[in-house]
Amino acid sequence: FMILSLIYQALIIIVLLTFSFGPAFFSLINTGIKYGYRTGSLLATGIVLSDFMLCIAICVVVHLGAINLLHSEKAQTFSSIIGGIILIVFGAFYFRKQIPVKETNSFDVYYTKPKASLMILKGFVINLFNPAVWFLWLGNVTAISKTLDYSVVKMIVFFSIVLVATLIVELTKVHLAGKIKRYLTNKLMTIINYITGTALIVFGIILIYNHYFNKT
């Protein structure tokens, strides 16, 4: 029964992490379309690394019985405002005019690829400063901790397996996104950038509004 429960919980976590239409999702699809699989996989790696770090941090907090610190209003307000600002800044970058390396009106468009380290860092930051991800991990770690007897080692092993599966799904998404690149024109790629940028800015504004202006 416990094994079935853990498998069920793992599937829920994977679906929530990979198919929730949040900032990381839009950035990942946009990167896969624009730069292809390799660059998109680096962004996906950064996203999953931040998930792993958050998971470990929250596992330790739950083990120490200090869960109330994460639930405090000040902590939530602070993280939401910082996260909102970061999302707005990232979103604004998508509105920059990007000149393709190969000017063409056909479906074959190439862009200068960013450095690998920057893509991993971007994925790490954009996911780390999304408060929704914190709350998702907080809920899942809390739910799993009792089943695994509040053992930090057991929880980390379980979530490590879940995150490996999550990375595989994320890489599959990038691969599929990269496949449609050849069907895109410069104009359509610009529209996709604007949609991604708008989505990130909207997420950022909502975070700030809900956790600051809505309480003042």
Side-chain angles (χ1 to χ4, degrees):
F1 178 77
M2 184 183 75
I3 294 177
L4 292 176
S5 176
L6 290 175
I7 293 174
Y8 173 73
Q9 190 70 30
L11 291 175
I12 292 177
I13 296 171
I14 293 170
V15 170
L16 288 174
L17 288 176
T18 56
F19 294 104
S20 56
F21 296 99
F25 177 88
F26 283 99
S27 296
L28 192 63
I29 297 301
N30 183 285
T31 302
I33 291 174
K34 187 189 298 183
Y35 301 114
Y37 177 79
R38 185 178 182 277
T39 304
S41 65
L42 294 173
L43 185 73
T45 300
I47 292 172
V48 175
L49 281 175
S50 68
D51 277 322
F52 184 65
M53 194 202 80
L54 281 174
C55 175
I56 291 178
I58 294 176
C59 282
V60 172
V61 170
V62 170
H63 178 72
L64 296 176
I67 202 69
N68 289 333
L69 292 176
L70 298 178
H71 282 298
S72 69
E73 184 175 327
K74 287 185 178 180
Q76 292 184 19
T77 300
F78 176 77
S79 62
S80 295
I81 292 174
I82 297 299
I85 292 173
I86 289 174
L87 291 180
I88 291 172
V89 171
F90 272 118
F93 278 110
Y94 283 96
F95 287 90
R96 292 183 306 168
K97 178 66 176 178
Q98 299 190 35
I99 307 300
V101 174
K102 180 180 179 181
E103 290 284 357
T104 176
N105 292 321
S106 69
F107 295 148
D108 195 12
V109 183
Y110 298 94
Y111 292 85
T112 303
K113 294 184 178 181
K115 293 181 179 179
S117 57
L118 291 179
M119 291 309 298
I120 294 176
L121 180 62
K122 179 181 178 180
F124 188 91
V125 172
I126 205 170
N127 191 65
L128 180 66
F129 286 97
N130 180 6
V133 177
W134 283 76
F135 299 141
L136 185 151
W137 277 113
L138 183 59
N140 284 312
V141 171
T142 303
I144 291 294
S145 58
K146 187 175 182 180
T147 304
L148 297 177
D149 301 322
Y150 298 96
S151 167
V152 174
V153 174
K154 289 180 182 179
M155 286 191 285
I156 291 177
V157 170
F158 171 76
F159 287 116
S160 296
I161 295 172
V162 171
L163 285 173
V164 168
T166 300
L167 180 60
I168 292 172
V169 176
E170 297 283 32
L171 294 178
T172 302
K173 283 161 52 180
V174 173
H175 176 72
L176 294 175
K179 287 294 184 180
I180 67 174
K181 177 180 178 179
R182 53 186 161 184
Y183 301 110
L184 300 176
T185 61
N186 292 348
K187 183 177 181 180
L188 189 54
M189 192 63 239
T190 299
I191 293 173
I192 292 174
N193 280 339
Y194 288 169
I195 292 174
T196 305
T198 300
L200 295 181
I201 291 172
V202 169
F203 282 126
I205 292 173
I206 291 175
L207 278 175
I208 295 172
Y209 177 80
N210 285 343
H211 291 86
Y212 181 72
F213 293 105
N214 203 29
K215 295 182 179 181
T216 56

